[in-house]
Amino acid sequence: VKLTNNYVSEYRMEFKGRILIYSISGCRHCKAAKEKLTSLNLPYSDVNLDNHPDQRDSMMTLTNQSSVPQIFFNEKHVGGNTEFQALVTYYNESKKFIILGICRLMCFSTQAEEELNKLIEMVKNTRSPPNAPQPVSESNQPDVPGRLLPSEKDEMSSLVEDLSKQKEIIYDHRRFFISKPKSFTGDDLITFIAHEKDTDRVKAQEIGQQLIAKKFIASVNKGQPLRDDSTLYRLLQDSPSNALNAGLPAYKALTSASELSLLIRKTILNLYGDFLSKDGKHVDYKGIGESKGFKDYIEQVAQLQRAQIDELSRQEKLAFYINIYNALVIHANIKFGFPESAWKRFKFFNDASYIIGGHEFNLQEIENGILRSNRKGVGMLSKPFSKSDPRIQFILESNEPLIHFALVCGAKSCPPIKTYSPEVSRTNCCISEFSCLVTHVKHYFHTSTTSQNIEAQLKLAAASFIDGDDGCRVDKPQGLIGLSRIFKWYKEDFGKSPPEVLVWVKEHMSNGLKKQDLTALLESNTYKLDYLTYDWDSNKK
């Protein structure tokens, strides 16, 4: 059977068997594979692991792979997008030959073309056997949270909304000839609460302190409790800031910072997928910014202003700040555009910020301050936080080098985009130039404890990056080792010397030929180490 456009059109709806693809939302390789199937008029069943996380173990059992997409023709496992695209490459070329009137025999001379014909003939005439992967019914789709916040408002939100309208007490106060915009005194606040709640000043002061604890208001000079005097306070939404979530009301009833970060990442990844080109190569960031879904996202990040980040565990900090960092990068690309020079990149990472838990954090401060335990970053002359900076209380107690394979700056040489949870199952999700690892966050708002933690997820991310050509290249015959410049820029996180860094890389690499070759070169001590060119180009449309 020869593959022609007429062939796939003629038999499109008459397959006895089944083509099935495992995918996730927002995965560029999944989208490219589906688009190719559609262009060939080949019907397929899509098992979206975001909607059906219970199917992930079945996929991994059948394929011994954690990446998506994974494509099956009946029980025959074709592989991922790369393998599938290789099968149809010659078909695409054949159409060019036909148009030019060249002998059709030239179109069908490859093993890949013959294999694809056999696969199509098999699903056309043979029913899918019991051992083939099975499609899932959308009617049985689990209750996975969507993109919207819960509708319930915090019980104190109505009081805050009423306070925000009190122009007679909220105005620009002056202290020592310095203007304090949109502020109010502690005694005015207590008077207002006492009147609104019909209570005495002692009780009103207690209610006001609750507003501080819930981060609805804060003292102009950070950290002061509510006093019944002329001390100045301000609604958090009125804080003078250029943060991308500043100036927005945050009245929702929140549960935990970890759950909020998961929802934010889920939303931005879905938007990313919605505006990904059909071939999976470009993203319409302008389209994202003008979409209804992006307005929902803005409402979500507004709630970060009040996120309770004081008591996060190490695992929760890692998941929370990695998710927020990656979401902020995409948000900043939409707002500012992709930085195309070294100076613009420096400004980008220092200007792009969110207010989180009443404190403002830019990208540099999240990466080098929080996640790298207050270390100087590339081009930085000092540590992000001084000893007196109140934000220093949130840093990780010890540096975690694995974060470098989870943070995504938006450039092509960056590691994949993933969603992280402090407690998840054994697969991760990403949007990568080279691979898409499957993420499962257990129902997002109903996370249950599993055997693996955030460190396990990060180790999988590191292995995925190092296994790819962007992370590490090994040419054993030539004695050459190439590493991503991440290992040069942040050398102190991986070892005291290049040999120590290479040992770290080897220990975090997946078992396989590359690891064997790297081990042999390190043992022989006869190799040359080079750092790969970092591709700062973006995938914007």
Side-chain angles (χ1 to χ4, degrees), residues 213-228:
K214 288 195 170 187
K215 305 187 186 301
F216 282 113
I217 66 174
S219 59
V220 171
N221 295 322
K222 299 291 186 181
Q224 295 181 350
L226 181 57
R227 298 172 178 169
D228 194 354

Side-chain angles (χ1 to χ4, degrees), residues 121 262 333 347 439 466:
E121 183 68 8
L262 289 173
N333 272 322
K347 282 184 58 62
T439 293
I466 295 170

Side-chain angles (χ1 to χ4, degrees), residues 30-42:
C30 301
K31 193 157 188 174
K34 293 176 190 177
E35 175 62 21
K36 184 61 65 176
L37 287 166
T38 300
S39 70
L40 296 174
N41 295 319
L42 296 176

Side-chain angles (χ1 to χ4, degrees), residues 280-348:
K281 294 181 179 180
H282 304 288
V283 181
D284 182 3
Y285 288 107
K286 182 179 179 181
I288 293 177
E290 295 173 349
S291 68
K292 170 63 169 60
F294 189 67
K295 294 179 181 178
D296 296 334
Y297 174 79
I298 293 299
E299 183 182 19
Q300 292 170 14
V301 295
Q303 312 311 311
L304 283 173
Q305 298 173 92
R306 294 182 42 238
Q308 298 295 330
I309 58 176
D310 306 77
E311 302 297 330
L312 294 179
S313 67
R314 177 181 175 84
Q315 289 189 359
E316 289 171 331
K317 283 181 180 179
L318 284 167
F320 177 82
Y321 287 106
I322 288 171
N323 287 337
I324 296 305
Y325 179 100
N326 290 338
L328 177 54
V329 167
I330 296 177
H331 191 169
N333 272 322
I334 295 167
K335 181 70 175 180
F336 305 134
F338 189 82
E340 297 178 349
S341 68
W343 170 244
K344 288 182 178 179
R345 284 194 291 272
F346 178 82
K347 282 184 58 62
F348 181 90

